[in-house]
Amino acid sequence: YCSRKLSSKVESAPATMMNADMDAVEAENQVELEEKTRLINQVLELQHTLEDLSARVDAVKEENLKLKSENQVLGQYIENLMSASSVFQTTDTKSKRK
């Protein structure tokens, strides 16, 4: 009876150690999985931020082109007004001196 009891304790010790090792490996795998999930979520968030910034840059470029075009039109309009007005006409200084 004693030898059976001793042998069952000896056999259960390695099983307990294996279970502890398996639990440790499983816990490590869980930590790795959580870290991978966190990194994936961070990458996705950064991708969305990049997409938003890219869209914003495109919108600003488009607005910039529109404003440049409007400035050219206004500049041409002002030049035309100035050339049509006698106030802004260039004067010949030699003819005034005579």
Side-chain angles (χ1 to χ4, degrees), residues 57-74:
V57 166
D58 289 343
V60 168
K61 281 182 180 177
E62 188 175 317
E63 182 69 16
N64 186 37
L65 288 173
K66 179 181 169 189
L67 291 173
K68 277 184 180 180
S69 175
E70 288 176 6
N71 282 344
Q72 285 177 340
V73 169
L74 288 173

Side-chain angles (χ1 to χ4, degrees), residues 7-19:
S7 105
S8 91
K9 283 185 182 179
V10 171
E11 288 173 8
S12 68
T16 304
M17 287 179 70
M18 283 181 53
N19 285 340

Side-chain angles (χ1 to χ4, degrees), residues 3 8 19 27-28 30 40 48-49 70 72 76 82 95:
S3 66
S8 91
N19 285 340
E28 188 177 319
Q30 182 65 27
I40 288 170
H48 291 150
T49 301
E70 288 176 6
Q72 285 177 340
Q76 187 63 46
M82 289 173 62
S95 63

Side-chain angles (χ1 to χ4, degrees), residues 14-71:
T16 304
M17 287 179 70
M18 283 181 53
N19 285 340
D21 289 343
M22 289 174 64
D23 289 344
V25 169
E26 192 173 306
E28 188 177 319
N29 287 343
Q30 182 65 27
V31 168
E32 285 181 12
L33 180 63
E34 288 172 2
E35 179 68 10
K36 285 179 184 178
T37 301
R38 186 186 68 77
L39 289 172
I40 288 170
N41 287 336
Q42 189 176 10
V43 166
L44 291 173
E45 183 179 334
L46 289 171
Q47 282 179 336
H48 291 150
T49 301
L50 181 59
E51 288 171 357
D52 292 344
L53 289 172
S54 180
R56 178 72 178 127
V57 166
D58 289 343
V60 168
K61 281 182 180 177
E62 188 175 317
E63 182 69 16
N64 186 37
L65 288 173
K66 179 181 169 189
L67 291 173
K68 277 184 180 180
S69 175
E70 288 176 6
N71 282 344

